[in-house]
Amino acid sequence: MSLFARESADGGRSVRHQPAELLRTAEELRAAAARFGTPGANAVVMTMGALHEGHATLIRTARERVGDQGFVVVTVFVNPLQFGAGEDLDRYPRTLEADLEVAFEAGASAVFAPSVDEVYPGGEPQVRITAGPMGGLLEGASRPGHFDGMLTVVAKLLHLTAPDLAFFGQKDAQQLALIRRMARDLNFPVEIVGVPTVREGDGLALSSRNRYLSAAERRTALALSGALFAARDRLAAQEALRARAEALPGAQNRGEGRAEGLSRLGEARAAADAHAVAQAAEGCGAEAVRAAARAVLDDAAKADPPLVLDYLALVDPADFTEVSDDHDGEAILAVAARVGATRLIDNLPLLLGATLSTTFGATQ
């Protein structure tokens, strides 16, 4: 069903006339792609509806990547396979009219909003994608079967939309990692693009579930992002101390290691600062990162209403296993908790130990 047409301009020159269509069936989707698709410039943004600024950012990013002549499809489908017993499938917001406005304003060419019967003709599929070992960790442990259902519908929608690029938010970091792994392991001919988390002004990660929070619950929920930011700041402080130790006159000429340099720096400062330097010398700061985040979450557990922690984990982005205390390199600090009846997740990518010079401790 064509809703309205969108035409872009470039310096007064009309560029390509793009559709703005609501598509309900796979047949309609194929027809629209045949008419307006551009080889190498077809993109998809998959959603479960209730679109907000985070989704709009994904759509705008897709439009920027494929250009005015590209074809951007936004899927709106509440997938029953990824909701477990007692979860909020029936409660999940369905706001298609508002979703269409958000999607087309952000640059979508079409919105594909199929029925459950259209996606799963004949009932739930007998053959599904299995998420493997990563799918049983963190979110997978809290929501058994969730990632199998998610990957099954993503695989199906990738086949139906046949994109060159697919855009997903970093907020669902484990989901993004699993989709990347599936695309690589099963040879999907698509580039999976991660887009940074979009946050509200107070730091809360944008989520369709935020609308369930009362004012008091929202104040408590801010502890999720607060914990991540506290950990980030602790890490930055540690790395700044390490950088100062590295910069000590003669440190590299004497062939000092990291611990020796930090020790000399500590001796030259007041006792409190020396203690901070000593903390920075312990591994790459992984344990201090966890401790800083947990302190914020522990305080929130005493709030009214309280935050009920599901997990806090500092993980390797490749497989979502917990990193060791001496880990150097990329990591993701992930948290999930309930406030009232609402379960929220958040995460923050971190780089541990990466600010240190690779020549620290070498002779010149």
Side-chain angles (χ1 to χ4, degrees), residues 234-248 251-252 257-259 261-262 265 276-289 325-329 351-357 360:
R234 172 71 67 84
L235 179 63
Q238 285 188 311
E239 298 301 346
L241 287 168
R242 292 181 185 182
R244 287 176 56 194
E246 182 183 21
L248 282 172
Q252 294 184 354
R258 182 186 305 175
L262 288 168
L265 178 61
V277 173
Q279 281 188 316
E282 297 176 1
C284 69
E287 188 53 41
V289 164
D325 289 346
D326 61 353
H327 177 78
D328 272 359
L351 207 54
L352 280 67
T355 60
L356 291 175
S357 167
F360 188 73

